[in-house]
Amino acid sequence: MQIARTISDLRAARQQMRGQVGVVPTMGALHAGHLALAQAAREENDYVITTIFVNPTQFSPDEDLDAYPRDLEGDLTKLEAAGVDLVFTPTPELMYPAGFQTYVNVEFITRLLEGVHRPTHFRGVTTVVTKLFNLTQPDIAYFGQKDAQQVAVIRRMVKDLNFPLKIAVCPTVREPDGLAMSSRNVYLSASERKAATILIRALETAADAYDEGIRDGETLEQIMRQVVMTEPLGEMDYVSVVDARTLERPHPNSPMLASLAVRFGRARLIDNRLLPAHLNTREGLDSTLGV
Ligand code: AMP
């Protein structure tokens, strides 16, 4: 496995790759969710590139940029075992040198859901993802359902700016009790960790209600809200049920995205499920979310 720390090393390594290239962008502190993306990329491409970069522009000043977990040595061991060919590990100075002033912004859907609570977040994501796409030139780029709105935003950007690549979406990987794996789960105390299953419990209650025939978005949101409110350690940022393609008001006969964000101390956790439940697969996500 090669490691590129500079842009010229990355470009040289990329130029050697003759065949289909899959890219998995990450912020490191890798867990089984990230590795599922790497594994899918390994199965579907001739070459796999993973990027590890804790991107400062997607954190607001009051967020956890400095505290964000970092474990480069451990990450490299895991990626080598996953059969990754090339890892790009740039520094913030390399990605945002003095004088940097160009940003990519997707307008409307970045202001919904997460965008209400993190108004500058997606501009940082789309800017860094654009740079990573330009640098690594993937045929397929792999993203996780865990960040469903991010998938919708990046798919919009890829379409709008004519990036010659495909976005693949892999289902959320969970702990045995249903908590979505996240690098931020390390922030949870033992009691918060137990309480954090409230997110999946709220989503499953909404999925059950959907299965029983409830199709009204506000009713489904109210059902989720009632579950979250039973957990005193969690502070709800939002619960939401929207159309899975547009992230706007849901239609009774179209796939829906149920999602929520709940804070536990300094950990802000997000999770989501597509409704109906059978869409929470690689194929269902690929054909439904944000397209
Ligand atoms: P991050 O390092 O948190 O920026 O995540 C990098 C990629 O891994 C993103 O596309 C995430 O959506 C994806 N990801 C993070 N957690 C999970 C998970 N539990 N299951 C599947 N994908 C995930």
Side-chain angles (χ1 to χ4, degrees):
M1 185 175 77
Q2 275 182 282
I3 299 167
R5 295 190 174 80
T6 66
I7 285 169
S8 55
D9 283 355
L10 175 70
R11 286 206 196 278
R14 175 65 183 86
Q15 265 164 18
Q16 299 298 313
M17 296 179 177
R18 301 199 195 293
Q20 187 169 299
V21 174
V23 168
V24 182
T26 80
M27 299 207 298
L30 301 180
H31 51 65
H34 298 112
L35 298 176
L37 301 182
Q39 193 183 334
R42 180 68 286 166
E43 284 164 12
E44 296 165 17
N45 298 276
D46 299 309
Y47 297 94
V48 179
I49 306 176
T50 299
T51 66
I52 298 177
F53 180 56
V54 182
N55 173 37
T57 62
Q58 70 190 69
F59 290 77
S60 71
D62 61 342
E63 289 180 350
D64 56 340
L65 174 61
D66 293 335
Y68 195 84
R70 290 161 170 88
D71 176 23
L72 186 56
E73 285 307 305
D75 290 348
L76 294 176
T77 305
K78 290 173 191 165
L79 293 175
E80 174 121 57
V84 167
D85 298 293
L86 174 64
V87 185
F88 180 45
T89 61
T91 59
E93 294 72 29
L94 197 66
M95 294 297 271
Y96 300 106
F100 184 92
Q101 52 184 295
T102 306
Y103 292 86
V104 177
N105 193 37
V106 173
E107 297 279 329
F108 177 69
I109 56 170
T110 58
R111 297 200 277 268
L112 310 172
L113 302 173
E114 285 292 290
V116 174
H117 300 269
R118 308 183 74 191
T120 59
H121 171 67
F122 287 115
R123 183 177 93 135
V125 170
T126 46
T127 300
V128 82
V129 167
T130 294
K131 286 170 68 73
L132 293 172
F133 285 174
N134 283 336
L135 290 163
T136 60
Q137 298 182 29
D139 296 287
I140 310 180
Y142 292 79
F143 291 87
Q145 172 188 9
K146 165 80 187 333
D147 300 277
Q149 187 178 9
Q150 170 171 281
V151 170
V153 167
I154 290 171
R155 282 190 152 160
R156 187 74 252 168
M157 175 185 85
V158 163
K159 221 178 219 174
D160 289 351
L161 298 184
N162 308 103
F163 281 98
L165 55 87
K166 182 177 162 265
I167 300 298
V169 192
C170 295
T172 301
V173 177
R174 299 179 179 281
E175 301 287 354
D177 66 359
L179 177 67
M181 288 193 181
S182 164
S183 307
R184 288 188 165 103
N185 289 350
V186 298
Y187 298 151
L188 297 168
S189 69
S191 55
E192 289 165 348
R193 170 64 189 79
K194 272 196 192 137
T197 57
I198 199 72
L199 283 90
I200 185 65
R201 285 185 277 140
L203 291 167
E204 281 175 350
T205 309
D208 290 345
Y210 184 96
D211 285 346
E212 285 159 19
I214 296 177
R215 295 287 184 278
D216 177 59
E218 279 170 24
T219 306
L220 292 167
E221 286 175 355
Q222 187 56 22
I223 287 166
M224 288 167 65
R225 199 173 291 122
Q226 276 165 1
V227 176
V228 175
M229 278 170 24
T230 63
E231 179 44 71
L233 290 181
E235 198 182 323
M236 185 170 62
D237 260 4
Y238 66 87
V239 300
S240 152
V241 175
V242 293
D243 183 275
R245 292 178 202 281
T246 62
L247 308 188
E248 294 181 66
R249 208 183 216 304
H251 299 286
N253 301 322
S254 303
M256 300 182 191
L257 175 71
S259 66
L260 73 171
V262 182
R263 278 181 281 134
F264 292 89
R266 64 185 185 133
R268 182 177 182 279
L269 305 183
I270 58 172
D271 202 352
N272 69 81
R273 296 261 285 198
L274 289 180
L275 307 175
H278 72 81
L279 292 173
N280 294 285
T281 60
R282 175 69 195 278
E283 298 71 30
L285 290 157
D286 263 344
S287 61
T288 306
L289 194 54
V291 293

